[in-house]
Amino acid sequence: MNTIKHFLFISLFLITSSSLFPEDRPYVILVSFDGFRWDYLNRDITPNLNSFAQNGIRALSFRPSFPSKTFPNHYSIVTGMYPENHGIISNSFYDPGNSVWYRMNDTVQTRDSKWYSGEPFWTTARKNGIITASFFWPGSEQQDSLRHPDYYKHYDHYKPYRDRVDTVISWLQLPVNKRPQFISVYFHDTDSYGHEYGPNSPEINESISRLDSIAGYLLDSINDMGFKDSVNVIFLSDHGMTETSPDKTINILDIIENDKCKIYDSGPVMRISPPEASLNEVYNTLKKSENHFTVYRKEELPSYYHYSAHELISQLIVVADIGWSLVKSSKRKGYEHRISKGNHGYEKDHTDMHGIFLAGGPAFKTNYQTGTLWNIDVYPLLSKIFSIEQSDSIDGKLERIEFILKERNN
Ligand code: AMP
Ligand code: ZN
Ligand code: ZN
């Protein structure tokens, strides 16, 4: 009798524990710390992130795609595509054919799937029966029901960070048939403080510590969960930050006086659409005055930029040298007060534009330090972890990143 009871007890335990803690199901939490530059981890103020890295993967840096801005890069991370291919070519850009702007703070446009190409990971996951969730991610609020995660939130800049983590944990505590296996979550702190006070300020250090505490809170909360051993966590950032100052500005209107030119964006990159008849003249004028910036015709932009294919990229692209700011200001008005102490958007290969990539959990090697990883390679990495087929025609390559996984995943 006792043996039967014992047998029943063990069977019940196995059935319950396998449905509560299904070890064969991977979980991935993808955490973005906006503007968290690669070297912020070397300031001795990030104990949680550093000890997490020691038990997993730490990349020297994480290379963004050009332009090193928030929206293009978050979408590159989840699609494995360069902005020229996924369509979010900047935080704001104009479609002259339809006379409409995409702007990151215009929710009508950010939710309209017509701007987005490629397949975000949550769509690939859904096709394979994997439930996904997101607590904020650029491109996650698309109205097309196939193009957003199963659970997602409308962006609220002021949502307390701990609430975001608590919600992620509550999603992980849902019954298995409702529980997301892929969850992304976003924190803006280091980006905001980096712009306002610069990447070398006491204020950014406080911001770095704040996010490190949030990382600790998330990791502790996961540790308290029954199936913690199935959970992988990736901490990454979309780009870095460099010091900018009012004495390093280029007023484009001091150089081109053609008032028929359409000029888009400012700061590290400007896109210029002159009238067809004056394209050469405007290009030549800019070329002759190149000083702390470089002008390219769209088709001559070096291929490493990966920024020519999209039809909404203007004919001329002006890229400022690191730390310099392009402005468009009528000569009478001052613009110096508008230059922040830090910015990003510059060439993706400058290390100031590089972010972080740390990963830990059952899928990853432990105590492994690698060189620079590329953000377009995260999508194929996720597909590999979940053993699902990636969408074709992506720019990312599994071969460049696969070595960070434990052998059994290869
Ligand atoms: P930037 O530094 O200009 O490249 O963009 C950073 C800003 O993007 C943050 O301060 C947020 O306000 C904003 N942002 C980030 N994610 C979202 C989102 N999902 N929806 C709307 N705005 C966002
Ligand atoms: Zn950003
Ligand atoms: Zn920013």
Side-chain angles (χ1 to χ4, degrees), residues 159-173:
K159 186 78 183 164
Y161 294 157
R162 281 188 166 234
D163 290 0
R164 304 181 195 195
V165 173
D166 291 343
T167 301
V168 168
I169 298 298
S170 73
W171 280 331
L172 286 171
Q173 284 164 340

Side-chain angles (χ1 to χ4, degrees), residues 129-159:
I130 292 167
I131 302 172
T132 61
S134 172
F135 208 116
F136 305 155
W137 199 274
S140 67
E141 298 175 41
Q142 292 177 57
Q143 253 154 3
D144 179 338
S145 61
L146 289 176
R147 299 184 63 84
H148 61 68
D150 295 284
Y151 311 123
Y152 68 99
K153 302 275 179 187
H154 291 318
Y155 189 70
D156 170 7
H157 197 73
Y158 301 100
K159 186 78 183 164

Side-chain angles (χ1 to χ4, degrees), residues 34 70 191 195 239 241 344:
D34 198 325
T70 297
D191 181 72
H195 284 298
H239 51 72
M241 187 70 65
H344 54 90

Side-chain angles (χ1 to χ4, degrees), residues 61-307:
S61 74
F62 192 47
R63 199 195 77 170
S65 302
F66 181 82
S68 46
K69 288 275 181 195
T70 297
F71 266 61
N73 279 287
H74 278 89
Y75 214 56
S76 285
I77 290 164
V78 294
T79 58
M81 288 181 162
Y82 287 117
E84 66 172 358
N85 292 325
H86 67 52
I88 306 304
I89 57 164
S90 191
N91 286 340
S92 305
F93 52 96
Y94 185 65
D95 174 0
N98 295 302
S99 312
V100 52
W101 280 89
Y102 177 99
R103 286 197 179 93
M104 65 178 181
N105 53 4
D106 176 345
T107 52
V108 172
Q109 299 308 327
T110 56
R111 293 175 193 175
D112 189 336
S113 291
K114 74 165 182 255
W115 299 102
Y116 301 85
S117 304
E119 185 172 286
F121 185 71
W122 44 78
T123 301
T124 313
R126 163 111 44 104
K127 284 183 183 168
N128 287 274
I130 292 167
I131 302 172
T132 61
S134 172
F135 208 116
F136 305 155
W137 199 274
S140 67
E141 298 175 41
Q142 292 177 57
Q143 253 154 3
D144 179 338
S145 61
L146 289 176
R147 299 184 63 84
H148 61 68
D150 295 284
Y151 311 123
Y152 68 99
K153 302 275 179 187
H154 291 318
Y155 189 70
D156 170 7
H157 197 73
Y158 301 100
K159 186 78 183 164
Y161 294 157
R162 281 188 166 234
D163 290 0
R164 304 181 195 195
V165 173
D166 291 343
T167 301
V168 168
I169 298 298
S170 73
W171 280 331
L172 286 171
Q173 284 164 340
L174 287 170
V176 170
N177 61 347
K178 300 217 167 74
R179 186 188 303 160
Q181 285 177 260
F182 171 73
I183 303 176
S184 56
V185 55
Y186 167 88
F187 303 90
H188 65 266
D189 217 272
T190 36
D191 181 72
S192 303
Y193 282 83
H195 284 298
E196 193 165 352
Y197 299 100
N200 299 314
S201 58
E203 288 84 355
I204 191 70
N205 287 347
E206 282 167 25
S207 169
I208 294 165
S209 298
R210 209 161 27 244
L211 289 188
D212 184 70
S213 302
I214 281 296
Y217 181 59
L218 172 69
L219 295 171
D220 287 348
S221 310
I222 293 170
N223 239 344
D224 290 342
M225 289 190 332
F227 60 107
K228 62 172 192 284
D229 293 339
S230 310
V231 181
N232 299 286
V233 182
I234 301 174
F235 291 102
L236 54 69
S237 48
D238 51 348
H239 51 72
M241 187 70 65
T242 199
E243 263 183 355
T244 44
S245 66
D247 55 318
K248 289 188 175 172
T249 49
I250 305 138
N251 184 3
I252 209 78
L253 294 187
D254 288 343
I255 304 169
I256 47 169
E257 280 168 19
N258 190 322
D259 58 9
K260 294 204 181 74
C261 282
K262 301 268 190 313
I263 300 176
Y264 305 114
D265 264 355
S266 62
V269 181
M270 256 180 188
R271 301 181 304 281
I272 304 182
S273 286
E276 196 58 45
S278 45
L279 176 61
N280 286 339
E281 180 203 320
V282 173
Y283 173 78
N284 290 332
T285 308
L286 283 164
K287 199 81 207 153
K288 268 192 236 129
S289 3
E290 272 184 352
N291 190 15
H292 301 298
F293 71 85
T294 311
V295 58
Y296 301 98
R297 292 173 192 275
K298 181 177 177 173
E299 59 281 4
E300 71 170 19
L301 198 70
S303 61
Y304 57 77
Y305 275 91
H306 295 279
Y307 200 62

Side-chain angles (χ1 to χ4, degrees), residues 359-377:
F364 295 101
K365 286 180 179 160
T366 50
N367 192 14
Y368 193 92
Q369 297 189 25
T370 172
T372 297
L373 297 176
W374 298 9
N375 74 358
I376 50 169
D377 296 337

Side-chain angles (χ1 to χ4, degrees), residues 25-46:
R25 292 158 56 106
Y27 291 83
V28 175
I29 305 179
L30 182 66
V31 184
S32 166
F33 289 157
D34 198 325
F36 199 110
R37 200 167 75 181
W38 67 279
D39 61 321
Y40 290 174
L41 292 172
N42 302 335
R43 295 185 178 186
D44 229 6
I45 49 176
T46 50

